[in-house]
């Protein structure tokens, strides 16, 4: 009998999150999609939950309700926003918001899912960080909180390994087919061309590049990989990139 895979995917209505859902559904997963809006795709195994992950109480409540309805085996925390600003212009309210979205929401969702994972002695947790965790101009709040995901994953990997639960991170570089990317880089602009040229593989990433990496870490067979960060960035993490 095939094991049942039941995944929570955050930021699931558009972009990378939507593609992760598509690939998981194609691999016979049951998927609970968390987002500000409903996914445009529909499927009998896709369950949409609308929640603002910036709202701590709403996030905790949604996570508890989902854990009560589904035996969660996978958590993919993909939701994120940038809120760019140079150092003199940073608003601490933005730092607070991104701390809740990138870190607090991850903690609340994993805490809710953990009892079922421990009971099954199996779980896969994948946190979506960013190449920006290594540093980029105007990314103080974003880089700090995305780097925090890496530290959290390494800690959780040590705490949960004995329970059969792996915890890994994917750090994408520029993904050109997302609204978040387009909010800072206009389509077909000189900035876009310069950025693509600065990436060693000479192209922007796509959502499916990231989703395939998620599927790798999510695979039940990959039980000997935990606490790792995979940069899906076309080589940008080992070179110099200017946006």
């Amino acid at each position: 009998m095939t094991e049942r895979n039941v995944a929570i995917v955050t930021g699931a209505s558009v972009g990378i999150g939507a593609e992760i859902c598509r690939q998981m559904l194609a691999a016979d997963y049951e998927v609970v999609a968390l987002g500000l809006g409903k996914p445009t795709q529909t499927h009998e195994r896709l369950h949409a939950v609308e929640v603002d992950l910036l709202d701590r109480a709403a996030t905790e409540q949604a996570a508890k309700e989902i854990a009560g309805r589904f035996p969660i085996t996978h958590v993919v925390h993909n939701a994120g926003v940038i809120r760019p600003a140079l150092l003199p212009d940073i608003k601490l309210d933005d730092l607070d918001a991104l701390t809740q979205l990138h870190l607090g929401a991850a903690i609340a969702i994993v805490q809710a899912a953990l009892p079922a994972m421990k009971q099954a002695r199996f779980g896969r947790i994948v946190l979506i960080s960013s190449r920006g965790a290594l540093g980029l101009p105007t990314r103080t709040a974003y880089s700090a909180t995305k780097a925090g995901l890496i530290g959290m994953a390494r800690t959780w990997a040590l705490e949960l390994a004995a329970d059969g639960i792996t915890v890994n991170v994917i750090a994408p570089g520029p993904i050109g087919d997302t609204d978040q990317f387009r909010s800072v880089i206009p389509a077909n602009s000189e900035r876009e061309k310069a950025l693509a040229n600065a990436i060693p593989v000479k192209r922007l990433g796509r959502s499916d590049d990231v989703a395939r990496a998620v599927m790798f870490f999510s695979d039940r067979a990959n039980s000997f990989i935990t606490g790792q960060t995979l940069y899906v960035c076309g080589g940008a993490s080992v070179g110099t990139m200017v946006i």
Side-chain angles (χ1 to χ4, degrees), residues 77-90:
H77 183 44
N78 162 75
V81 296
I82 296 175
R83 297 199 180 179
L86 291 169
L87 177 55
D89 304 316
I90 294 167

Side-chain angles (χ1 to χ4, degrees), residues 131-204:
R131 185 265 173 218
L134 299 177
L136 281 174
T138 76
R139 300 292 194 271
T140 294
Y142 183 76
S143 294
T145 51
K146 286 293 190 177
L149 285 171
I150 297 172
M152 280 203 328
R154 291 170 66 90
T155 298
W156 294 355
L158 295 173
E159 293 182 2
L160 302 177
D163 295 301
I165 301 168
T166 65
V167 189
N168 291 290
V169 177
I170 295 166
I175 306 300
D177 60 353
T178 65
D179 292 342
Q180 180 170 271
F181 178 84
R182 290 302 171 200
S183 71
V184 293
I185 305 289
N188 301 314
S189 65
E190 290 303 314
R191 288 183 68 196
E192 178 186 312
K193 293 174 185 176
L195 177 55
N197 191 57
I199 297 171
V201 300
K202 303 301 180 185
R203 73 167 175 88
L204 298 174

Side-chain angles (χ1 to χ4, degrees), residues 92-129:
L92 292 181
D93 284 348
D94 286 340
L95 177 60
D96 291 342
L98 296 196
T99 298
Q100 163 55 27
L101 178 61
H102 297 155
L103 303 176
I107 292 170
I109 292 165
V110 170
Q111 283 178 332
L114 210 50
M117 290 184 178
K118 286 189 172 182
Q119 183 175 4
R121 297 198 61 77
F122 169 80
R124 297 285 181 265
I125 299 168
V126 183
L127 306 178
I128 308 300
S129 178

Side-chain angles (χ1 to χ4, degrees), residues 33-83:
L34 272 64
L36 281 171
K38 291 183 178 180
T40 56
Q41 60 187 317
T42 58
H43 195 284
E44 62 181 3
R45 284 184 277 102
L46 180 64
H47 312 276
V49 175
E50 293 184 70
V51 60
D52 183 358
L53 297 180
L54 288 169
D55 184 328
R56 179 178 297 174
T59 300
E60 292 175 354
Q61 183 62 33
K64 289 176 183 177
E65 290 177 359
I66 292 165
R69 292 172 55 198
F70 300 94
I72 300 300
T73 57
H74 292 66
V75 172
V76 181
H77 183 44
N78 162 75
V81 296
I82 296 175
R83 297 199 180 179

